[in-house]
């Protein structure tokens, strides 16, 4: 089955850094755009960042300049490097391959919890 498994979340202080990993299985990630998404309590899931099959990246305004997204096609993984984190970054983070505005390659997994707090 096609799935993504997120890891690397945890508790981090404001201004700190965290590196999230997304491992894909059931397919070869190389040819797909991959996105990181997050959902905070009481809010809808939102797009955080994407990386295309060619390596082009896009970021939400709220994280641009602080987060980076990268991919390792050989390992079938995508990473989200979170720097200068803020309390408002607190959310469950998910990865998936968008196939449009509303469609995705895989069903949503468990995600990984990121909590930014002192």
């Amino acid at each position: 089955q096609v799935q993504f498994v997120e890891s690397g979340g945890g508790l981090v202080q404001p201004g700190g850094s965290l590196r999230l990993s997304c491992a894909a299985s059931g397919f070869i990630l190389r040819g797909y755009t991959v996105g990181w998404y997050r959902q905070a309590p009481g809010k809808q899931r939102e797009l955080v960042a994407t990386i295309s099959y060619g390596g082009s990246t896009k970021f939400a305004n709220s994280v641009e300049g602080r987060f980076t997204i990268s991919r390792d096609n050989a390992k079938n993984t995508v990473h989200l490097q979170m720097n200068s984190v803020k309390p408002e970054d607190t959310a469950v983070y998910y990865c998936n391959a968008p196939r449009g505005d509303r469609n995705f390659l895989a069903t949503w997994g468990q995600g990984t919890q990121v909590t930014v707090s002192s």
Side-chain angles (χ1 to χ4, degrees):
Q1 62 182 53
V2 176
Q3 63 178 12
F4 294 89
V5 179
E6 303 90 348
S7 63
L11 177 64
V12 61
Q13 294 183 337
S17 298
L18 204 62
R19 182 177 172 85
L20 308 184
S21 297
C22 170
S25 65
F27 73 107
I28 304 300
L29 192 60
R30 176 187 175 189
Y32 294 86
T33 293
V34 179
W36 279 97
Y37 303 80
R38 67 186 182 188
Q39 186 167 25
K43 297 183 179 180
Q44 293 184 330
R45 183 183 295 111
E46 65 174 347
L47 178 65
V48 177
T50 61
I51 183 166
S52 75
Y53 51 84
S56 298
T57 59
K58 294 182 179 180
F59 301 91
N61 290 337
S62 59
V63 307
E64 189 164 7
R66 300 187 296 117
F67 292 7
T68 59
I69 185 171
S70 62
R71 65 192 300 159
D72 186 340
N73 289 332
K75 296 182 178 180
N76 227 32
T77 59
V78 175
H79 301 279
L80 183 69
Q81 179 66 45
M82 306 169 60
N83 298 322
S84 303
V85 296
K86 303 176 180 179
E88 50 263 44
D89 294 322
T90 296
V92 178
Y93 284 71
Y94 305 87
C95 60
N96 213 327
R99 309 303 292 155
D101 290 340
R102 296 181 178 87
N103 297 318
F104 299 90
L105 184 63
T107 58
W108 297 102
Q110 295 186 36
T112 185
Q113 175 71 52
V114 173
T115 302
V116 182
S117 176
S118 297

